[in-house]
Amino acid sequence: MEFQKEFFLDEVIDGFYVPGLMKRAWAAELQLLSFLDEVCKKKGISYFLDYGSLIGAVRHKGFIPWDDDIDVSMYRKDFRVLEACIEEELPEELAFYYAGKDRDTASSMAAIGMKAPSLDPAKQAYFQQFPFYVGIDICIIEDILGEKCEKERQKIFYHLASLLKSVEGEKEKGYSFLYEKWKNELRSITNEVASFLNCYGGELPVIFPKDGKNFIGEIYFAMDSLYRCLEDQDTEYVACGPDYALHRKGKMKRSWYKGEDNKTVSLYGKEFTIPSNWDAILKVEYGDYLSAKPNLGDHQYPFYQKSEEFFYKSLGEKNPYRYFFSEEDLKKKERKNLRAMILESFDALENHWRQALEVRMGKDGLKSLCKKSQEEALAIGNAIETRGNLPSVAILEDFCTLLFQLYESLEDVTSKNSSDGFCGEKEIEEQEFSTEEEKFSRILEVVKNAKTQFSLDWKPRILFLTYSIERFEKTLAEDFRCLQEENQLELYLLPVPYGFKNVKGELKERFYEGEFFKEKYPILDYKSINLQSLQADIIVTPTAFDHVNPVFSLDPFYDTTNIKSFTPNLIYYPDFSLDRVGKGEYKSEYNRRYYMPLPGIAFCDYSIFAKKDVVEGYLQYWKENIFPKEDAESCELLLREKIISIENFASFLKEYGGRNIISHLFLAIIEMEKNCLARKR
């Protein structure tokens, strides 16, 4: 199958976070389903999407977001055809697993799956670079016989299921040990199976041989024999054999699967078969199947959990998919851009002349202040002119003129008093102060006006990093457009290259979507832009993964550890929105490891989330899973200063003043940083 590249991105679907690794598992399973579909069409075999996959197809038009496998079913007579032909159809990468074929690898269902996982990218290409074992189960639809027969079959199934439960904890002890320990039970069960098959027309195969290899596989083989050894009877009702035998559940009309016509559904661009009366089947199996229940399931989620944990544990400190925390990462390092430095210079000038107005200075001190202030004003003007001849420069010129006039008047007073020769020094200073007080006030007013005009001339620069036009349009585009219309900030959009890693974690595929962005937005060219020269007050990144995502990455140049050096404020504003995980939501709890312990959460100066309880969820996760226990309290305080809730921020605003809440927040961050710098001085 062919997949759009966006398919493999981490994504929130119906409020559930689906990591890129799960997307690869889905893609690998769809690859297997596509193979099965082609074989079935070629050989005239009927199959159906069933169970969770059927719900996903009709309710979500794809996978159920919180599901991790593909379920298909077929009649026993169709399965026999598949069993007979499948080996000749299998590509090199796949194997067919079935209790009736190979008891060594037997399980409760037949399956088509990976022969063996590999870290060779070439071998895993068929499986979309998914690194762990993956397969699709085939549920065999069995005839439901008379009540007497089914009761007998159920009794035998209970015996086999009890034996299976008993030996699960001892399966590593070897076949011969288990055979000797359970030989009396095996003799009894074999007689029960033989009696059942003799009564209903089946021939007993060899089960539980003394020289067998897989004891659990023999149990599954015995269970399967209760169906596979009987002829097809095309009964009115059918069911998945083990489910019905053990629990009397899933009884369906045969006509519900294949009525007058075969129905199909499109999944990710390809048509697959579904039962003709899928609504009736799903109601029997699930009742109200239209109600989503994200954290329910009857097997471990994700199916690759143990493989994943073992793999990452084996990598140890060399694990490229893990962020190794340091408290130092949380500490904000002071970084200034040109705009901040100009504002600091304005503040310094303002403070000097406020002090001059409040504290009487001698003429020499005032003359020195005039000279120094003129030099600072010229330096500020030159810095401002790097962006053009702006109005604030003209005000600074007025400021310099006033300084010159004050300096000249001080020179005149000195000359006059020297020639008169009758005033004392104290009297001269008082006379000077009284004479020049209006000029001081005027100078202070002009420098304030220059600073105010500068803030209008030189708007804060906000640079949005982005990568996928589809993802941007779904998430951050609305905020970006609102900020453009408001025109309070100078906005830039920088699409950057991104790509996908192979099974070894190497970033081989790279994509750049600048041409798509250019159709709707003015953009910067990542090849020619100099981030240092841009002097952005804020850089907004939509991802905080850096190196740790096993599937996706921006070009490493845009890791948060690197780009934070180009701005006083690096902000993580995720391109997904998610509620806090509730207690007991075990699937959602597991997936937090993919989006919470990220380098960017520590390295960014701020992270912005929609809701305050989401912020608390992040703090709790880091405290429980990331911070060293001995430093948890101090680390939590540092992280708390860096995580902002839009909901919480908005509650402190008495009125929006017509301004976008994100605009309020960005300006508050810039002003807060300026104030922090002022306090440090």
Side-chain angles (χ1 to χ4, degrees):
M1 288 184 67
E2 296 293 327
F3 297 93
Q4 298 294 320
K5 54 184 179 296
E6 285 79 10
F7 176 88
F8 296 101
L9 295 172
D10 297 56
E11 185 180 7
V12 174
I13 306 175
D14 294 340
F16 187 84
Y17 188 92
V18 184
L21 194 61
M22 179 59 73
K23 293 286 197 72
R24 280 194 168 163
W26 287 359
E29 291 168 340
L30 287 165
Q31 191 75 30
L32 296 173
L33 178 62
S34 180
F35 163 75
L36 176 63
D37 176 76
E38 290 168 6
V39 172
C40 288
K41 286 176 179 175
K42 179 179 178 180
K43 301 295 183 179
I45 300 170
S46 293
Y47 79 92
F48 313 96
L49 291 181
D50 213 338
Y51 299 101
S53 296
L54 182 55
I55 291 179
V58 300
R59 190 174 74 193
H60 300 275
K61 312 305 179 188
F63 275 88
I64 299 176
W66 42 90
D67 199 8
D68 62 352
D69 61 355
I70 287 180
D71 309 293
V72 299
S73 60
M74 62 177 61
Y75 295 120
R76 171 66 73 169
K77 63 182 179 182
D78 285 306
F79 182 77
R80 288 195 174 100
V81 178
L82 180 70
E83 181 188 5
C85 72
I86 189 65
E87 293 293 342
E88 65 188 39
E89 301 291 338
L90 287 171
E92 181 182 352
E93 299 89 348
L94 301 184
F96 176 62
Y97 303 97
Y98 169 52
K101 165 185 172 289
D102 183 3
R103 306 182 201 188
D104 289 347
T105 58
S107 67
S108 59
M109 287 189 182
I112 295 173
M114 190 185 294
K115 275 185 179 176
S118 170
L119 289 181
D120 181 346
K123 291 182 179 179
Q124 294 305 107
Y126 185 89
F127 303 101
Q128 306 295 330
Q129 300 298 319
F130 182 68
F132 311 122
Y133 172 81
V134 67
I136 58 171
D137 292 334
I138 303 172
C139 173
I140 304 172
I141 303 172
E142 311 285 8
D143 293 321
I144 293 180
L145 305 176
E147 184 62 20
K148 180 182 177 182
C149 171
E150 291 301 336
K151 282 186 176 181
E152 290 182 31
R153 185 149 55 184
Q154 186 177 41
K155 178 183 175 183
I156 301 170
F157 251 89
Y158 272 128
H159 288 173
L160 288 166
S162 297
L163 179 61
L164 181 64
K165 185 176 181 180
S166 298
V167 301
E168 273 288 343
E170 300 181 305
K171 59 185 177 182
E172 304 299 329
K173 292 186 177 180
Y175 187 89
S176 58
F177 171 85
L178 294 171
Y179 184 88
E180 286 299 318
K181 180 175 180 178
W182 300 98
K183 60 184 178 182
N184 292 333
E185 287 80 358
L186 299 183
R187 189 178 299 113
S188 173
I189 288 173
T190 301
N191 290 336
E192 288 177 352
V193 174
S195 175
F196 177 83
L197 292 176
N198 287 336
C199 182
Y200 295 102
E203 184 177 343
L204 177 68
V206 176
I207 59 176
F208 299 109
K210 190 171 183 178
D211 59 348
K213 296 179 181 179
N214 186 330
F215 198 83
I216 290 178
E218 289 295 334
I219 298 174
Y220 284 128
F221 179 78
M223 288 177 168
D224 187 69
S225 297
L226 293 169
Y227 293 98
R228 72 188 301 270
C229 295
L230 297 178
E231 292 296 322
D232 300 312
Q233 300 185 32
D234 290 336
T235 55
E236 181 181 1
Y237 290 97
V238 295
C240 173
D243 275 354
Y244 190 74
L246 288 173
H247 311 295
R248 287 299 178 99
K249 61 180 289 189
K251 182 178 179 181
M252 313 286 181
K253 284 190 175 183
R254 180 182 294 274
S255 61
W256 290 352
Y257 278 94
K258 190 175 182 180
E260 296 178 356
D261 60 330
N262 286 332
K263 289 190 176 180
T264 63
V265 66
S266 178
L267 290 183
Y268 308 104
K270 185 165 182 175
E271 296 290 321
F272 298 103
T273 308
I274 60 173
S276 56
N277 195 345
W278 49 266
D279 179 66
I281 289 172
L282 290 177
K283 284 178 178 175
V284 168
E285 191 66 36
Y286 300 101
D288 181 15
Y289 66 88
L290 293 177
S291 297
K293 300 170 184 177
N295 288 281
L296 298 181
D298 57 1
H299 63 263
Q300 185 182 59
Y301 176 96
F303 70 84
Y304 52 79
Q305 180 179 143
K306 289 184 179 178
S307 298
E308 182 182 31
E309 291 176 352
F310 175 80
F311 174 66
Y312 291 154
K313 187 176 180 180
S314 71
L315 296 174
E317 295 293 317
K318 295 182 179 179
N319 185 349
Y321 310 113
R322 179 184 165 194
Y323 163 57
F324 292 94
F325 171 75
S326 168
E327 185 174 353
E328 194 65 24
D329 298 341
L330 291 173
K331 296 177 180 176
K332 182 169 173 56
K333 309 299 189 298
E334 184 179 307
R335 305 182 305 277
K336 304 176 187 178
N337 65 355
L338 185 56
R339 183 177 185 276
M341 288 188 282
I342 291 173
L343 284 171
E344 281 187 55
S345 297
F346 271 121
D347 289 341
L349 277 177
E350 185 179 341
N351 288 334
H352 292 328
W353 285 97
R354 183 176 289 109
Q355 289 174 10
L357 186 61
E358 295 171 354
V359 179
R360 297 185 178 185
M361 300 177 66
K363 60 180 174 53
D364 290 338
L366 285 171
K367 288 167 67 177
S368 175
L369 179 58
C370 286
K371 286 183 178 180
K372 184 178 179 182
S373 297
Q374 189 169 50
E375 291 171 359
E376 290 181 3
L378 287 172
I380 293 172
N382 290 335
I384 295 174
E385 285 180 333
T386 60
R387 292 196 185 177
N389 188 19
L390 302 175
S392 50
V393 175
I395 300 176
L396 279 172
E397 290 172 353
D398 293 341
F399 175 72
C400 290
T401 300
L402 289 173
L403 291 176
F404 177 75
Q405 291 172 353
L406 175 60
Y407 186 89
E408 287 293 300
S409 68
L410 290 170
E411 284 285 334
D412 290 343
V413 169
T414 302
S415 301
K416 182 177 182 298
N417 287 328
S418 295
S419 62
D420 291 347
F422 57 82
C423 287
E425 184 176 342
K426 185 176 181 180
E427 292 173 312
I428 294 173
E429 288 180 358
E430 289 177 354
Q431 182 181 341
E432 289 169 358
F433 188 85
S434 176
T435 304
E436 306 302 340
E437 186 170 348
E438 273 191 43
K439 292 182 180 178
F440 292 180
S441 298
R442 176 60 180 152
I443 288 170
L444 184 58
E445 180 185 352
V446 171
V447 77
K448 286 180 179 179
N449 290 342
K451 184 174 75 169
T452 300
Q453 185 60 50
F454 169 76
S455 297
L456 297 174
D457 293 343
W458 197 314
K459 296 176 185 176
R461 283 188 168 179
I462 314 296
L463 173 66
F464 278 77
L465 298 183
T466 185
Y467 55 100
S468 161
I469 184 67
E470 181 177 314
R471 178 62 64 91
F472 182 75
E473 286 290 313
K474 285 181 180 178
T475 56
L476 303 184
E478 183 178 355
D479 277 327
F480 187 82
R481 283 192 286 265
C482 286
L483 293 175
Q484 278 184 314
E485 292 171 4
E486 190 179 77
N487 201 29
Q488 295 286 323
L489 304 165
E490 196 171 317
L491 293 182
Y492 294 92
L493 191 63
L494 179 62
V496 302
Y498 71 100
F500 297 95
K501 300 174 183 178
N502 63 22
V503 74
K504 294 176 71 174
E506 300 167 330
L507 186 60
K508 294 297 185 182
E509 284 186 289
R510 293 175 191 253
F511 305 96
Y512 175 65
E513 300 191 11
E515 292 302 316
F516 301 113
F517 278 96
K518 197 181 294 184
E519 294 174 3
K520 287 190 173 184
Y521 307 96
I523 64 169
L524 298 176
D525 180 6
Y526 81 96
K527 294 180 181 177
S528 59
I529 185 64
N530 183 322
L531 291 181
Q532 191 64 52
S533 299
L534 185 66
Q535 293 287 298
D537 296 272
I538 289 176
I539 293 180
V540 180
T541 177
T543 83
F545 291 122
D546 288 3
H547 60 280
V548 302
N549 191 295
V551 174
F552 157 83
S553 178
L554 299 183
D555 185 290
F557 177 82
Y558 299 96
D559 281 0
T560 58
T561 51
N562 185 47
I563 58 172
K564 70 182 299 182
S565 64
F566 299 115
T567 180
N569 303 290
L570 178 60
I571 292 179
Y572 170 46
Y573 190 18
D575 56 2
F576 66 89
S577 180
L578 197 62
D579 290 335
R580 183 175 180 177
V581 174
K583 187 176 180 180
E585 297 180 352
Y586 77 96
K587 294 183 179 181
S588 297
E589 285 176 354
Y590 187 89
N591 283 350
R592 289 185 303 175
R593 69 192 59 207
Y594 297 108
Y595 64 86
M596 279 194 169
L598 305 182
I601 302 292
F603 287 114
C604 285
D605 299 292
Y606 300 99
S607 294
I608 298 175
F609 302 101
K611 299 181 179 179
K612 55 187 175 184
D613 67 329
V614 172
V615 166
E616 292 304 318
Y618 272 82
L619 289 167
Q620 181 184 8
Y621 185 93
W622 278 67
K623 187 175 181 179
E624 294 176 355
N625 300 282
I626 308 300
F627 298 147
K629 290 184 179 179
E630 62 274 15
D631 300 320
E633 188 174 341
S634 61
C635 290
E636 182 183 0
L637 289 174
L638 287 170
L639 185 58
R640 188 175 289 276
E641 291 179 357
K642 296 162 69 89
I643 303 185
I644 299 173
S645 142
I646 295 175
E647 180 182 34
N648 204 43
F649 177 76
S651 69
F652 288 101
L653 293 178
K654 293 182 179 179
E655 58 182 49
Y656 284 65
R659 191 183 295 163
N660 179 281
I661 184 64
I662 295 298
S663 176
H664 269 290
L665 185 50
F666 286 170
L667 289 169
I669 286 172
I670 293 168
E671 185 63 25
M672 181 165 53
E673 290 306 305
K674 185 170 74 69
N675 290 339
C676 286
L677 292 174
R679 286 196 297 271
K680 288 178 182 178
R681 291 199 303 273

